Amino acid sequence: MASTIPVFFLFVASTWALHTVNMTNNCGFGIPTLDQIPSITLATGSQSYTNGTVQAGAFLNTGYCGPNGGNCTTVDIAMNDTYSTVVVDLIPTHVFSVPVGFTYFNGCDGAGVSCLTADCVNAIRDPPETSGIVTCTASGVRGVRF
């Protein structure tokens, strides 16, 4: 019998110079949050966020998360006109709190990673690490499912 792990999903789409972030919570608890440093909340819940450049962290605020997703699993997003990078961030002060995953669509289709357990290999735990960083240089529409 296959088991299903509830995962916090984030959708990021880009059309020309605009990039859109949509968040989906399949965990049944917490509030999806998109923060820009220094702790500027760009979107919560099912709100979308659209801008020409996106530099933010998405996390499921379980009530124990600190500013910018501290103490929680965070997905860092950087999107501009020439490239996009997305990575699961477990660099302290971030810690594994919920399963997350993302996949690009409408450009770089299928590229992505998931982090379903605390010992996943697809997350960055130390700033010099590059494993788990997924870059998309496709022009036109870009998106990421989380």
Side-chain angles (χ1 to χ4, degrees):
M1 171 188 270
S3 63
T4 303
I5 298 174
V7 178
F8 167 55
F9 286 98
L10 183 70
F11 302 91
V12 180
S14 166
T15 306
W16 300 100
L18 291 179
H19 307 279
T20 301
V21 178
N22 298 313
M23 299 175 286
T24 302
N25 177 4
N26 292 327
C27 293
F29 58 89
I31 300 170
T33 303
L34 182 68
D35 269 4
Q36 179 178 345
I37 293 176
S39 248
I40 299 168
T41 300
L42 303 175
T44 59
S46 60
Q47 290 178 330
S48 293
Y49 176 76
T50 301
N51 201 354
T53 300
V54 176
Q55 183 82 33
F59 58 96
L60 184 63
N61 192 339
T62 60
Y64 300 101
C65 301
N68 300 307
N71 301 319
C72 289
T73 309
T74 301
V75 178
D76 292 336
I77 305 161
M79 300 181 84
N80 62 39
D81 291 340
T82 56
Y83 70 92
S84 298
T85 60
V86 182
V87 64
V88 177
D89 180 354
L90 293 179
I91 298 170
T93 65
H94 298 111
V95 298
F96 184 84
S97 58
V98 295
V100 298
F102 64 88
T103 304
Y104 281 101
F105 65 93
N106 292 333
C108 300
D109 292 11
V113 300
S114 61
C115 186
L116 303 179
T117 64
D119 60 350
C120 74
V121 297
N122 296 319
I124 290 183
R125 291 175 172 76
D126 187 29
E129 288 181 4
T130 58
S131 64
I133 296 175
V134 182
T135 301
C136 179
T137 58
S139 61
V141 178
R142 285 186 218 100
V144 180
R145 285 190 173 93
F146 287 86

